[in-house]
Amino acid sequence: MKPWGIMVVFLALVVALLASACQSPATPTPNIEGTVQARVDLVKTQTAVAQVQIAIVATQTAMAIPAATPVPPKSALTAPVVSTAVPAPTVASRPAPTSPQVGVSCPFYVYADWGSDKNHYVPKGWMGDINDIQFDDNYRLDPARPSVLQIAYIPKGSTQWSGIYWWDPPGADWGNNDGGFNLSCATKLTFWARGEKGGEKAELKVGGLKGTYQDSLQPAFSTGPIVLTKDWKQYTLDLSGKNLSHIIGGLVWVTNKPSNPNGATIYLDDIRFE
């Protein structure tokens, strides 16, 4: 082929290529600046999310609740428990009083009046032939003493004697339950007494209970048999030098058939430690 022919063919090829380029859709020029900014924002967001996740993990770790202790097998639950406490030494002597032995002030009443808040001992310890006793702690005798103790003794039982203990607390049970008072303020027991007819014999005592928590006054200290008159008279039981630091049995009345073969009705009032 001649040189000019070759030139024509080359030019035709160039024209064809240009025509082909004009017919294909134009490729948009990429926005490089926008792409870079988007990537930067994405990285920032991913970093913030990662920091939040780290904070959540740290909070969960701090607030974590320890795993529950596994329940022991049934055999362990029913196994006997062995105490590690050191046993208290055995004391052979009587137990010490458990109630507060705070000294009281005198005068300190066994019986002041019926229902009085000054009364401190109760007549719960009946003894001997208890069916031979008739008792009234609110007997209306006369205007001067409208409320007194009346004790009527009618001897017919087999033991031929009767008595009543006034004690504290009401459930003292002959000193087997602790109670009582520290009566160290007192040097005597005083009381008023009279008989129904005159000539009745009565005997009053203090202390003498020998239960688990015994009275500090042992044995019971007695007036001995007193012959009463028909008129009121005050009597005194001297307690000077006696141990009155723990008295559960505050008062005892006793009598018997030999002393009162036909029975006896007596009256008592204003019984108190001074």
Side-chain angles (χ1 to χ4, degrees):
M1 183 178 296
K2 293 181 180 183
W4 59 268
I6 296 172
M7 181 63 69
V8 172
V9 172
F10 176 75
L11 290 174
L13 291 173
V14 171
V15 172
L17 288 174
L18 289 175
S20 174
C22 290
Q23 293 176 357
S24 61
T27 303
T29 304
N31 187 349
I32 297 175
E33 182 178 356
T35 302
V36 171
Q37 184 62 44
R39 288 185 177 275
V40 170
D41 292 341
L42 178 60
V43 170
K44 288 182 178 180
T45 301
Q46 291 175 339
T47 302
V49 171
Q51 291 175 347
V52 172
Q53 290 176 337
I54 292 172
I56 291 174
V57 171
T59 302
Q60 291 175 338
T61 302
M63 298 178 63
I65 299 175
T69 303
V71 178
K74 184 176 181 181
S75 59
L77 293 175
T78 57
V81 178
V82 179
S83 174
T84 58
V86 178
T90 301
V91 180
S93 60
R94 292 180 182 272
T98 57
S99 61
Q101 292 300 304
V102 178
V104 299
S105 60
C106 290
F108 191 78
Y109 282 86
V110 175
Y111 178 86
D113 200 358
W114 181 79
S116 172
D117 57 3
K118 295 180 180 180
N119 300 343
H120 291 95
Y121 291 94
V122 293
K124 295 291 186 179
W126 290 36
M127 307 175 289
D129 294 320
I130 61 176
N131 292 325
D132 293 357
I133 304 172
Q134 294 179 1
F135 178 83
D136 188 347
D137 59 353
N138 186 25
Y139 189 78
R140 307 288 178 170
L141 184 62
D142 55 54
R145 295 182 181 274
S147 179
V148 300
L149 299 175
Q150 182 197 53
I151 306 175
Y153 171 65
I154 305 171
K156 56 185 178 181
S158 59
T159 64
Q160 298 189 359
W161 72 276
S162 298
I164 300 175
Y165 248 108
W166 280 255
W167 59 34
D168 175 83
D173 188 25
W174 307 101
N176 289 314
N177 293 315
D178 192 26
F181 301 94
N182 183 344
L183 301 178
S184 297
C185 65
T187 58
K188 59 185 177 180
L189 175 75
T190 64
F191 58 94
W192 288 81
R194 58 160 285 186
E196 177 75 23
K197 301 176 181 179
E200 296 88 349
K201 293 182 180 179
E203 182 178 0
L204 298 181
K205 304 179 182 181
V206 174
L209 286 177
K210 296 182 179 181
T212 304
Y213 302 95
Q214 65 179 7
D215 282 329
S216 58
L217 180 57
Q218 295 290 340
F221 195 64
S222 173
T223 61
I226 301 172
V227 179
L228 302 177
T229 67
K230 191 177 180 179
D231 300 318
W232 285 104
K233 182 179 178 181
Q234 188 179 40
Y235 298 86
T236 299
L237 176 60
D238 186 7
L239 298 172
S240 300
K242 304 301 180 181
N243 185 354
L244 305 177
S245 61
H246 183 224
I247 301 298
I248 295 176
L251 181 71
V252 191
W253 161 80
V254 291
T255 192
N256 54 43
K257 187 173 182 177
S259 298
N260 294 288
N262 298 316
T265 298
I266 68 170
Y267 303 95
L268 301 171
D269 196 18
D270 288 333
I271 307 168
R272 64 186 187 180
F273 291 90
E274 300 180 16

